[in-house]
């Protein structure tokens, strides 16, 4: 079990009244139930636990390092993480951990472990059970998942959907991998199979990727500034509906210039909470595709961003990046 921080292990600072992370030994003391689990659990922690709003790509590399170092010695891994950026971390790890054949389950909570009404205990205990679930020698969930409030979701399909409900996460375009009630029920047909290849950890992530949400008041000056920023390698464009955007000349021409003259990769994903890109449905979507924007299909923003960071880190050709981006690598798109 790896502790990174998050509400799960926070307490109220008496001076400010705000929640701040505390150290792992305190957290463990608050879960005596861990002794009752019939699994051997070892724990490691970030030296400085963080609110997950402070997460940076180097923390993902640190997590990947920790998993790589201990990979052969454990049946599975549970990562305790703040809920704010859990979907980003889960998505990033899913790409970084190629040919993963052990469960990596992220969880956290909406209320600290010390709170009488905390949701932390069930989340942690069931996550440990999932991470340790095997059919003989074969792990039941050989992928990166998020377990929260009775549901196991594929990490790279998940978004944080509520800041106030215990049921904080949603996987709008993919059904849950498991549900916890009286029994822990796995939906095996939805879970990835154990991959054939050798476990391989990718640690180079390109950070110069921009997420840009289209809106009716977007201006030429703003878009021009973005595409001309030094060092930009890719733009994840959150478009309307099934992938539609303005077709005014200035808009299309700026994107075309970015693609052709600056070799910027531009990806079309929908800003809708559910659904996918249907490139030819409207003229406003077709124009984007005709200038060479990639089809992000039903990717979440979190998955699109981290997939592009991962692919750019591999230093592939432009053609290879487009082709890898538009096909599923870890079950992140249909
Ligand atoms: N701000 C917290 C964090 O993401 C929220 C949480 O843990 O639920 O670290």
């Amino acid at each position: 079990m790896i502790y990174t921080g998050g509400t799960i292990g926070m307490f109220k600072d008496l001076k400010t009244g705000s929640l701040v992370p505390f150290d792992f030994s305190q957290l463990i003391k608050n879960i005596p139930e861990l002794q009752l689990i019939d699994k051997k659990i070892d724990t490691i922690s970030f030296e400085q636990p963080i609110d997950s709003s402070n997460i940076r790509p180097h923390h993902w590399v640190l997590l990947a390092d920790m998993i790589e170092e201990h990979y052969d010695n454990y049946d599975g891994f549970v990562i305790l993480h703040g809920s704010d950026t859990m979907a980003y971390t889960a998505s990033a790890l899913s790409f970084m951990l190629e040919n993963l054949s052990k469960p990596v389950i992220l969880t956290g909570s909406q209320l600290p472990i010390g709170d009488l009404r905390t949701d932390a205990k069930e989340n942690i205990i069931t996550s440990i059970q999932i991470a340790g679930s095997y059919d003989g020698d074969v792990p039941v969930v050989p992928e990166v998942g998020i377990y929260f409030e009775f549901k196991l979701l594929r990490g790279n399909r998940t978004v944080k959907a509520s800041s106030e409900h215990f049921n904080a996460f949603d996987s709008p375009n993919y059904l849950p991998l498991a549900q916890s009630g009286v029994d822990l029920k796995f939906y095996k047909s939805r879970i990835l199979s154990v991959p054939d290849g050798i476990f391989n950890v990718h640690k180079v992530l390109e950070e110069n990727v921009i997420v840009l949400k289209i809106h009716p008041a977007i201006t030429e000056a703003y878009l021009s500034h973005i595409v001309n920023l030094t060092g930009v390698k890719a733009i994840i464009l959150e478009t309307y509906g099934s992938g539609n955007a303005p077709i005014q000349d200035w808009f299309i021409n700026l994107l075309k210039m970015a693609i052709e003259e600056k070799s910027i990769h531009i990806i079309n994903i929908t800003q809708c909470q559910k659904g996918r890109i249907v490139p030819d449905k409207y003229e406003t979507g077709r124009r984007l595709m005709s200038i060479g924007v990639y089809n992000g299909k039903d990717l979440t923003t979190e998955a699109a961003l981290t997939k592009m960071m991962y692919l750019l880190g591999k230093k592939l050709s432009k053609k290879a990046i487009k082709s890898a981006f538009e096909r599923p690598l870890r079950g992140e798109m249909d």
Side-chain angles (χ1 to χ4, degrees):
M1 183 153 76
I2 304 172
Y3 177 54
T4 68
T7 297
I8 199 159
M10 290 190 183
F11 73 103
K12 228 179 214 149
D13 183 301
L14 293 176
K15 268 196 237 134
T16 63
S18 301
L19 289 169
V20 288
F22 63 71
D23 77 73
F24 198 36
S25 56
Q26 296 301 316
L27 184 126
I28 293 290
K29 268 193 219 145
N30 275 281
I31 334 174
E33 292 88 345
L34 287 181
Q35 314 295 331
L36 303 174
I37 297 180
D38 63 344
K39 310 216 180 301
K40 183 175 175 298
I41 306 158
D42 289 329
T43 52
I44 38 175
S45 170
F46 275 10
E47 228 165 272
Q48 195 67 58
I50 53 170
D51 184 306
S52 79
S53 304
N54 284 321
I55 210 101
R56 299 282 316 165
H58 69 83
H59 292 107
W60 299 336
V61 175
L62 182 60
L63 283 170
D65 270 336
M66 286 173 162
I67 291 170
E68 184 179 36
E69 186 186 339
H70 299 285
Y71 191 73
D72 292 333
N73 301 329
Y74 293 91
D75 290 333
F77 299 86
V78 172
I79 302 176
L80 305 181
H81 193 289
S83 63
D84 286 346
T85 58
M86 194 184 289
Y88 288 93
T89 298
S91 298
L93 287 176
S94 76
F95 297 114
M96 296 166 81
L97 306 177
E98 186 180 13
N99 293 324
L100 178 69
S101 55
K102 295 193 175 183
V104 173
I105 310 300
L106 287 95
T107 195
S109 66
Q110 292 281 56
L111 285 177
I113 191 90
D115 193 294
L116 205 53
R117 295 179 54 249
T118 188
D119 49 331
K121 288 191 183 182
E122 200 284 322
N123 285 347
I124 294 186
I125 290 165
T126 306
S127 294
I128 292 170
Q129 263 164 357
I130 293 169
S133 288
Y134 273 67
D135 276 340
D137 286 345
V138 184
V140 179
V141 186
E143 53 173 298
V144 179
I146 289 185
Y147 180 78
F148 221 88
E149 189 67 3
F150 307 117
K151 279 184 306 195
L152 176 69
L153 307 172
R154 175 165 298 155
N156 56 30
R157 292 284 197 156
T158 301
V159 292
K160 184 169 180 183
S162 173
S163 60
E164 52 191 1
H165 293 140
F166 285 140
N167 187 5
F169 289 96
D170 193 14
S171 165
N173 291 320
Y174 200 74
L175 290 166
L177 307 182
Q179 233 143 3
S180 165
V182 174
D183 295 314
L184 182 54
K185 184 162 176 32
F186 292 101
Y187 301 105
K188 293 194 179 163
S189 61
R190 299 175 195 161
I191 299 174
L192 295 175
S193 324
V194 174
D196 284 335
I198 293 169
F199 181 55
N200 185 17
V201 182
H202 299 265
K203 299 179 194 169
V204 183
L205 298 170
E206 172 58 58
E207 295 186 18
N208 283 304
V209 180
I210 285 179
V211 175
L212 177 63
K213 184 170 185 161
I214 303 295
H215 58 82
I218 196 164
T219 62
E220 183 171 359
Y222 177 69
L223 185 63
S224 166
H225 187 69
I226 299 275
V227 296
N228 284 304
L229 271 175
T230 320
V232 175
K233 300 278 190 311
I235 300 174
I236 313 291
L237 210 56
E238 287 188 353
T239 60
Y240 305 127
S242 53
N244 310 311
I247 48 173
Q248 279 103 40
D249 284 347
W250 64 265
F251 185 86
I252 296 293
N253 288 342
L254 275 172
L255 294 184
K256 196 163 183 269
M257 181 281 292
I259 293 168
E260 288 173 5
E261 289 168 34
K262 294 180 167 280
S263 280
I264 296 177
H265 304 267
I266 303 187
I267 292 95
N268 190 1
I269 59 168
T270 177
Q271 57 184 252
C272 290
Q273 276 151 25
K274 191 171 163 62
R276 58 188 295 111
I277 301 302
V278 186
D280 288 336
K281 191 165 177 194
Y282 297 92
E283 174 64 6
T284 44
R286 197 191 59 76
R287 285 292 290 280
L288 284 184
M289 295 300 155
S290 75
I291 57 167
V293 171
Y294 307 169
N295 184 348
K297 301 182 182 173
D298 56 352
L299 284 176
T300 62
T301 302
E302 292 84 338
L305 172 74
T306 54
K307 185 175 187 177
M308 195 32 104
M309 291 173 72
Y310 155 75
L311 287 174
L312 286 167
K314 286 170 58 127
K315 309 270 179 284
L316 305 168
S317 69
K318 200 168 179 207
K319 211 168 141 213
I321 290 183
K322 179 178 192 311
S323 127
F325 195 90
E326 291 186 335
R327 69 186 155 84
L329 302 179
R330 312 279 192 265
E332 74 283 6
M333 56 164 51
D334 286 346

